[in-house]
């Protein structure tokens, strides 16, 4: 959530990012002093896991623009304000889609070139990225610079001049290592030239440097990390760092602030959801493995049945051949019996004929 005058009517409006429905809403203040009334306007419904929202004039046209970091699609979106006071409209521009688990976004001029830059904290890759604005009013483009990749689960990022040297420094709070880191911006990153002594001592003074460092900020600022708090004595991780004034820093732990407690609970819920998804994936993988084993057993059984069927077919073929041979043998025997029957018939006829002739001769 963030509050500022978005539509330029002199009253403070409210921006809300809601993770579970992927929406960012703008509540426009009607200006009532006793009990203000707000008119809801939807900025986007496609920020997957909308987690952090911030508003400032990014492109320098005098209108307040909106920045959104969404944790599930790793994106940081810029919504450029088109300047309508009564009902402002916005043009979406993607700054990055590779901030793995983007949960915090902040904007200010970090390198001192007059253009508002964007800082992003992403929890799943432990990175803080600085997106340097090229200053084009209509459609600004950004050059990414990595601030750190070792902030274990960074939850919050903020920037201001902490050490009073005129350069904007960066503050990072990370949950898993209980640390708040300060990255001091070095306005003079180039070291002074050094004159090394010769092999023989030279009593004369060393010559002055031929060139002095530039007093102007560089497009790519250099940062020196300084961890000023490692909360080993704090019961809960520090997740917020707010600047109250130019020289004061307010640290808030989850046990000290209701919002931070909700933030920590949300984080735990995310971890629980991830754990449940992993368990579900593991169960599905086990189920697939069991199905593969069952399929392999069925394939082996089918192969065995095929072999048995082939053996039965060979046995039937052999039985057919044996039966055919038996049929040929029976056919030969039948022919032989038929031939013997013919011979017997002839002999019987001859015998009958001879008896008949003998009987005639006797008479």
């Amino acid at each position: 959530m963030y509050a500022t005058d978005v539509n330029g009517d002199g009253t403070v409006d409210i921006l809300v990012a809601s993770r579970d429905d992927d929406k960012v809403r703008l509540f426009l203040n009607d200006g009532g002093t006793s009990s203000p009334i707000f008119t809801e306007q939807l900025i986007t419904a496609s920020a997957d896991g909308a987690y952090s929202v911030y508003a400032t004039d990014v492109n320098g046209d005098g209108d307040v623009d909106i920045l959104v970091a969404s944790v599930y699609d790793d994106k940081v979106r810029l919504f450029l304000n088109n300047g309508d006071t009564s009902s402002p409209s916005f043009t979406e521009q993607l700054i990055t889609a590779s901030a793995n688990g983007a949960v915090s976004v902040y904007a200010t001029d970090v390198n001192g070139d007059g253009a508002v830059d964007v800082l992003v904290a992403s929890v799943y890759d432990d990175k803080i990225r600085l997106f340097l604005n090229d200053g084009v009013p209509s459609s600004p483009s950004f050059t990414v610079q990595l601030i750190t990749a070792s902030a274990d689960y960074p939850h919050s990022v903020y920037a201001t001049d902490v050490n009073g040297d005129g350069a904007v420094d960066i503050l990072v709070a990370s949950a898993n290592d209980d640390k708040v880191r300060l990255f001091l911006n070095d306005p003079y990153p180039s070291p002074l030239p050094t004159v090394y002594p010769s092999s023989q001592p030279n009593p004369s003074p060393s010559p002055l440097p031929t060139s002095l460092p530039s007093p102007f900020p560089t497009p790519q600022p250099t940062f020196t990390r300084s961890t000023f708090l490692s909360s080993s004595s704090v019961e809960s991780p520090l997740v917020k760092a707010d600047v109250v004034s130019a020289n004061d820093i307010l640290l808030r732990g989850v046990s000290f602030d209701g919002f931070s407690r909700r933030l920590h609970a949300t984080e735990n819920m995310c971890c629980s959801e991830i754990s449940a998804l992993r368990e579900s994936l593991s169960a599905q993988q086990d189920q697939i493995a069991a199905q593969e084993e069952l399929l392999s057993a069925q394939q082996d059984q089918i192969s065995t049945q095929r072999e048995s069927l082939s053996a039965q077919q060979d046995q039937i073929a052999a039985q057919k051949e044996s039966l055919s041979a038996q049929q040929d043998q029976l056919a030969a025997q039948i022919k032989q019996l038929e031939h013997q029957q013919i011979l017997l018939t002839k002999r019987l006829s001859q015998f009958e004929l001879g008896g008949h002739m003998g009987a005639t001769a006797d008479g």
Side-chain angles (χ1 to χ4, degrees):
M1 181 173 63
Y2 189 76
T4 189
D5 183 7
V6 176
N7 60 348
D9 63 352
T11 59
V12 174
D13 310 307
I14 300 173
L15 284 160
V16 177
S18 48
R19 185 197 64 179
D20 292 340
D21 62 3
D22 308 328
K23 292 181 179 180
V24 175
R25 297 171 173 89
L26 169 63
F27 294 88
L28 293 169
N29 190 344
D30 68 349
T33 55
S34 58
S35 180
I37 299 174
F38 295 88
T39 302
E40 180 179 340
Q41 179 178 341
L42 183 65
I43 302 300
T44 183
S46 60
D48 193 6
Y51 210 90
S52 177
V53 62
Y54 189 77
T56 189
D57 183 8
V58 176
N59 60 348
D61 62 353
D63 300 315
V64 173
D65 309 308
I66 300 172
L67 288 158
V68 177
S70 43
V71 64
Y72 294 146
D73 58 9
D74 310 329
K75 292 182 179 180
V76 176
R77 296 171 171 88
L78 168 63
F79 294 88
L80 294 170
N81 191 339
N82 294 330
D84 187 352
T85 304
S86 59
S87 179
S89 60
F90 298 87
T91 301
E92 180 177 343
Q93 178 180 336
L94 183 66
I95 293 180
T96 182
S98 59
N100 192 4
V103 295
S104 180
V105 61
Y106 185 75
T108 189
D109 183 8
V110 176
N111 62 348
D113 63 352
V116 173
D117 310 308
V118 179
L119 283 160
V120 178
S122 47
V123 292
Y124 298 141
D125 57 9
D126 303 330
K127 292 182 178 180
I128 304 296
R129 295 174 174 89
L130 169 63
F131 294 88
L132 294 167
N133 190 343
D134 67 352
V136 176
S138 58
S139 179
S141 60
F142 297 87
T143 302
V144 63
Q145 179 179 345
L146 183 66
I147 302 301
T148 184
S150 59
D152 194 1
Y153 217 78
H155 246 292
S156 180
V157 62
Y158 192 83
T160 190
D161 182 8
V162 176
N163 60 349
D165 63 352
V168 173
D169 310 307
I170 299 172
L171 287 159
V172 177
S174 47
N176 286 353
D177 57 8
D178 305 334
K179 292 182 179 179
V180 174
R181 295 172 172 88
L182 169 62
F183 294 87
L184 293 171
N185 190 345
D186 184 5
Y188 312 112
S190 300
L192 291 172
T194 302
V195 177
Y196 295 96
S198 61
S199 57
Q200 297 295 329
N202 186 1
S204 61
S206 300
L208 292 174
T210 57
S211 61
L212 293 175
S214 171
F216 299 101
T218 59
Q220 292 281 347
T222 303
F223 296 89
T224 303
R225 191 180 78 179
S226 172
T227 302
F228 65 88
L229 176 62
S230 178
S231 59
S232 57
S233 61
V234 179
E235 295 180 359
S236 53
L238 292 168
V239 296
K240 278 291 178 181
D242 290 340
V243 173
V244 178
S245 65
N247 299 315
D248 299 322
I249 300 173
L250 174 63
L251 303 177
R252 297 188 298 168
V254 294
S255 60
F256 310 137
D257 184 84
F259 172 77
S260 296
R261 281 198 299 272
R262 287 198 315 171
L263 189 63
H264 191 57
T266 302
E267 176 189 342
N268 291 336
M269 184 172 64
C270 290
C271 294
S272 299
E273 290 175 357
I274 293 172
S275 178
L277 288 173
R278 285 177 177 171
E279 291 177 1
S280 175
L281 178 61
S282 178
Q284 290 177 0
Q285 289 174 339
D286 293 341
Q287 185 178 3
I288 291 172
Q291 290 177 350
E292 288 178 347
E293 290 180 1
L294 178 61
L295 179 60
S296 177
Q298 291 176 348
Q299 288 175 340
D300 292 340
Q301 185 178 3
I302 291 172
S303 178
T304 302
Q305 291 176 350
R306 284 179 177 173
E307 291 178 358
S308 176
L309 179 61
S310 178
Q312 291 176 0
Q313 289 175 339
D314 294 340
Q315 185 178 2
I316 291 172
Q319 289 176 353
K320 284 182 178 180
E321 290 180 0
S322 176
L323 182 61
S324 178
Q326 290 176 3
Q327 287 176 343
D328 293 341
Q329 186 177 3
L330 287 173
Q333 290 177 355
I334 290 171
K335 287 183 179 180
Q336 185 178 4
L337 289 173
E338 288 177 350
H339 181 65
Q340 290 177 356
Q341 185 179 9
I342 292 170
L343 291 176
L344 288 173
T345 302
K346 287 181 178 181
R347 287 180 183 179
L348 180 61
S349 298
Q350 290 175 357
F351 177 77
E352 289 178 351
L353 180 60
H356 179 70
M357 290 177 65
T360 303
D362 290 339

